């Protein structure tokens, strides 16, 4: 932690030679805004050498004080409490300092890399969900060449718009792992239940669906009712959304709208989805959820209470809410 305050320890003999206002401004730019010394010099109109000297003098005079307070102990305690409460094999909690949902997705996605890679072995099939958080996870995974690994989508992958690929993580993760990449060749949400049934009967889709069910490790996320990626990209229109919300939906999991018992709601929208249903997903041995955010707590609690997960990677605030 960096504290910047009016100096109470400055020496009276050189008060006139101490440009405190300028020093505080430079210190604020450097320690709080994260600007470089060269950037600060250009902004305040002095040379870089003077910036360096005033930063050092601000530290000496006590205008700037730096302390490091680790929150990792609390994170470990929260993780242990989550593991005990929800009977999890893995519970990782990261610091919560995001300013918006997208930033939180980046933080939680990056935090999941190490625990997921620790469980991934050569010869495995990894099932992967879809959405913003999982895309951030795939982006953060380092190049980790594996042998005989497959990454298979747990829900449909085809869309009308190429821009939706911004939320598709299977290809990128497979590339990082040098793995075979398998897609469920159909949309996440079909136009009608009839078109979904026709696609689902195709031998290619059936083969990959079976591969998805045979995954040894699955990594998924969950959407809050209002924030789910599936709504963000207009897979569900406003009329359907209002209807499914009235039917008791609390969130979106694997493309399906679920209720408070984590069961798929009996609704026409859910009959148009291509993807593993939650109870099929629960047969996979290792099932890790990467998710965080206030609007996801209700849905997260539901899937945790129903034993659909073996692992969770989340942030401090979400962890506290799940334990409340």
């Amino acid at each position: 932690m960096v504290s910047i305050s009016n100096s109470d320890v400055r020496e009276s003999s050189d008060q006139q030679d101490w440009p405190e206002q300028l020093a505080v401004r430079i210190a604020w730019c450097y320690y709080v805004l994260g600007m470089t010394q060269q950037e600060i010099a250009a902004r305040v109109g002095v040379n870089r050498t003077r910036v360096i000297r005033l930063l050092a003098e601000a530290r000496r005079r006590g205008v700037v004080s730096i302390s490091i307070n680790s929150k990792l102990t609390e994170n470990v305690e929260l993780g242990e409490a989550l593991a005990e409460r929800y009977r999890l094999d893995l519970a990782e909690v990261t610091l919560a300092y995001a300013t918006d949902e997208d930033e939180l997705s980046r933080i939680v996605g990056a935090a999941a890399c190490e625990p997921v890679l620790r469980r991934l072995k050569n010869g495995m099939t990894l099932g992967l969900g879809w959405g913003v958080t999982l895309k951030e996870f795939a982006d953060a995974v380092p190049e980790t060449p594996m042998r005989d690994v497959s990454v298979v989508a747990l829900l449909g992958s085809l869309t009308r718009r190429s821009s939706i690929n911004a939320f598709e993580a299977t290809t990128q993760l497979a590339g990082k792992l040098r793995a075979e990449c398998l897609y469920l060749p159909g949309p996440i949400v079909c136009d009608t239940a009839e078109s979904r049934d026709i696609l689902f009967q195709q031998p290619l889709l059936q083969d990959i669906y079976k591969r998805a069910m045979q995954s040894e490790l699955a990594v998924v996320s969950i959407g809050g009712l209002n924030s789910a990626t599936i709504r963000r990209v207009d897979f569900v229109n406003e009329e359907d959304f209002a209807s499914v919300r009235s039917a008791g939906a609390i969130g979106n999991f694997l493309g399906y709208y679920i209720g408070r018992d984590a069961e798929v709601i009996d609704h026409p929208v859910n009959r148009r989805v291509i993807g593993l249903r939650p109870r099929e997903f629960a047969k996979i041995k290792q099932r890790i959820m990467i998710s965080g955010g206030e609007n996801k707590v209700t849905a997260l609690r539901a899937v945790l209470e129903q034993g659909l997960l073996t692992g969770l990677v989340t942030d401090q605030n979400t962890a506290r809410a799940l334990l409340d």
Side-chain angles (χ1 to χ4, degrees), residues 1-8 10 18-35 40 54-55 57-59 61-67:
M1 180 179 69
V2 178
S3 297
I4 301 175
S5 60
N6 292 331
S7 176
D8 294 322
R10 56 181 177 266
W18 168 233
E20 184 170 7
Q21 184 169 329
L22 176 61
V24 169
R25 185 180 178 191
I26 288 172
W28 184 267
C29 290
Y30 187 71
Y31 290 108
V32 179
L33 301 184
M35 296 173 63
I40 296 168
L54 287 176
L55 284 171
E57 185 67 11
R59 290 283 303 279
R61 291 171 176 265
V63 174
V64 174
S65 61
I66 300 174
S67 62

Side-chain angles (χ1 to χ4, degrees), residues 102-113:
D102 287 342
E103 186 177 10
L104 183 59
S105 293
R106 286 192 290 274
I107 293 168
V108 177
C113 293

